[in-house]
Amino acid sequence: MNFKNISLSTESLPQHVAIIMDGNGRWAKKRSLNRVRGHREGTKSVRDIVRACREIGIKVLTLYAFSTENWNRPAQEVSALMKLLKEFLTSELSEMMENGIRLNAIGQVERFPENVRQVLEGVIEQTRFNQGMLLNLALSYGGRHEIVTAVRRIASRVKAGELNVDAISESVVSEHLYTHGMPDPDLLIRTSGEMRVSNFLLWQIAYTELFITRTLWPDFRRKELFQILQAYQKRQRRFGLTGEQLNKS
Ligand code: IPE
Ligand code: IPE
Ligand code: MG
């Protein structure tokens, strides 16, 4: 794949890309605009990145759109985000159908207002047979909460006699997470320069390659994604082995 002097090999592309879309507020502040304008501009980046990932054959794209901690933001910002999400889902449905994108939500979606949930569940339902790419939106998502929920489910299965304590393995834990059945992210990108994971996919990123860019999310478009993918393809993922061991095989 070639794009403006960036060449990507199709073989070593990540299967699963996860993105912490950060920096909308700072983008707006730099322009003396309301933070909500930054979120609105950020939806244009979402559209471009979803299209680009679909075009190059990424299998799973997970976007961190709203964290459990984000509920504590000013009520006016929270409700503007809900409205934007609803508008986004409504406007993107036809393109998701055309491009074979299946939508899934990870997080405590039940905390969302009924009108948002209805639209979200409608799009999930309508796109459920699409096979081109899985788009996971992390909504009201918190990694620790996800793990606690998994532990509770596992404990109740043990209590009910369906599962032996000794049979609890890493794969059993994985199967009880929102991301069950999906490969772990190969690549995690965070925009706007913050060096932290902010409660995102804590279990799943154990061996994920991390990329942090200073670009603010509304300025992040496919060109930079492709540059990051190119850099990703040059990394050696060792999973605890030595470089020599990997070069031999
Ligand atoms: C990311 O941008 C979007 C959400 C968290 C919903 P921010 O709103 O966190 O932007 P900054 O970090 O304040 O610049
Ligand atoms: C992380 O960004 C959450 C999302 C991108 C949805 P935040 O802006 O909420 O993270 P912190 O507060 O800087 O860690
Ligand atoms: Mg932020």
Side-chain angles (χ1 to χ4, degrees), residues 49-152:
I49 296 306
V50 171
R51 282 182 186 157
C53 286
R54 172 70 183 100
E55 282 168 28
I56 63 173
I58 301 295
K59 294 278 168 262
V60 187
L61 173 65
T62 301
L63 300 176
Y64 202 6
F66 194 83
S67 73
T68 46
E69 290 73 22
N70 290 149
W71 286 114
N72 301 320
R73 291 194 177 192
Q76 181 251 343
E77 182 171 341
V78 171
S79 66
L81 282 165
M82 298 296 140
K83 191 162 163 260
L84 266 181
L85 172 66
K86 223 173 90 176
E87 282 172 16
F88 180 81
L89 292 168
T90 311
S91 68
E92 296 315 291
L93 176 63
S94 62
E95 190 171 327
M96 285 189 211
M97 294 310 292
E98 267 166 44
N99 291 339
I101 292 172
R102 176 158 74 90
L103 185 78
N104 180 47
I106 62 171
Q108 291 168 277
V109 175
E110 62 283 2
R111 289 181 71 177
F112 277 76
E114 178 65 25
N115 63 346
V116 181
R117 235 171 47 209
Q118 266 179 9
V119 176
L120 180 67
E121 282 162 6
V123 178
I124 292 173
E125 171 65 23
Q126 291 190 64
T127 60
R128 83 192 146 122
F129 296 119
N130 290 348
Q131 306 222 324
M133 180 175 87
L134 174 62
L135 173 61
N136 272 323
L137 286 186
L139 295 169
S140 189
Y141 176 87
R144 286 189 168 180
H145 178 268
E146 178 183 36
I147 293 170
V148 169
T149 308
V151 170
R152 284 199 186 132

Side-chain angles (χ1 to χ4, degrees), residues 20-26 35 39 70 73 190-192 194 196 198:
I20 301 176
M21 310 186 288
D22 197 15
N24 295 348
R26 276 163 282 177
R35 294 179 56 84
H39 296 312
N70 290 149
R73 291 194 177 192
R190 181 170 189 144
T191 58
S192 91
E194 245 50 87
R196 52 180 173 257
S198 302

Side-chain angles (χ1 to χ4, degrees), residues 11 30 33 44 46 66 124 144 147 153 173 198 201 203 210 219 230 236:
E11 282 145 47
K30 260 173 62 180
L33 298 169
K44 296 183 189 165
V46 174
F66 194 83
I124 292 173
R144 286 189 168 180
I147 293 170
R153 286 204 202 117
V173 175
S198 302
L201 301 177
W203 171 276
L210 310 179
D219 293 324
Q230 198 178 37
Q236 184 182 49

